[in-house]
Each structure stands twice: as C-alpha cells, then as structure tokens.
C-alpha cells in the first residue's frame, strides 16, 4: 500500500507524492510516485508523462508522512 508523503526540499517548494515503502538508511534517493505541488497542481519543471521521480537525499530536508485521509474526509459535507 502506498504512503502519501510531503517532501520538504532544501531551497525548493514542497512536493506531495506517494511512496511504496519507507526508504532504508542505505538508500541514495527516494522514489516518489504521482509528484505534485502541495495544492495538487502539477510541478512546472516536470513533463506531463513523468509518473515517478527519484529525488536524491542531499536535496531533502525532511519527509512528512501524511495520514491516509481521502477526499471525502477533507471536503466533508457540502450543502446544495
């Protein structure tokens, strides 16, 4: 099951994405699937057909693990 993560990069904007597993201490990079900005829009510096990116650890300040809340949990009740 994929875990949603928020990457805090050094001198860059945040990246929201998903990872298959938490990285091991010996890994040199982190694999991120469906990379996007924190608000869900696409990253300007990536091609549209790039579903997975590798980010080296020396560019990552820290990784924030997010809970598995769905869209319904975030939006809640909407009156029509």
């Amino acid at each position: 099951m994929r875990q949603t993560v928020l990457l805090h990069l050094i001198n860059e904007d945040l990246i929201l994405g998903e990872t298959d597993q938490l990285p091991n201490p010996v890994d040199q990079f982190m694999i991120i699937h469906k990379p996007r900005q924190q608000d869900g829009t696409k990253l300007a510096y990536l091609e549209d057909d790039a579903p997975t990116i590798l980010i080296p650890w020396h560019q990552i300040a820290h990784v924030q693990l997010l809970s598995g809340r769905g869209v319904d949990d975030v939006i809640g009740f909407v009156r029509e």
Side-chain angles (χ1 to χ4, degrees):
M1 187 170 120
R2 289 190 174 169
Q3 172 73 40
T4 303
V5 295
L6 186 60
L7 295 177
H8 296 261
L9 301 179
I10 299 171
N11 298 326
E12 293 289 333
D13 293 332
L14 301 174
I15 294 179
L16 181 66
E18 300 174 356
T19 185
D20 290 328
Q21 62 183 7
L22 296 179
N24 292 322
V26 296
D27 290 342
Q28 297 295 314
F29 53 84
M30 189 164 187
I31 300 171
I32 301 297
H33 305 282
K34 299 180 185 176
R36 56 201 180 274
Q37 291 182 2
Q38 188 176 6
D39 61 359
T41 59
K42 71 179 199 106
L43 296 169
Y45 50 86
L46 290 180
E47 295 292 323
D48 292 335
D49 59 348
T52 303
I53 60 173
L54 305 174
I55 301 178
W57 273 110
H58 70 271
Q59 292 184 345
I60 300 174
H62 63 279
V63 177
Q64 187 176 354
L65 302 176
L66 301 178
S67 65
R69 296 189 307 179
V71 174
D72 293 333
D73 296 337
V74 176
I75 294 175
F77 175 75
V78 177
R79 178 192 262 179
E80 293 183 14

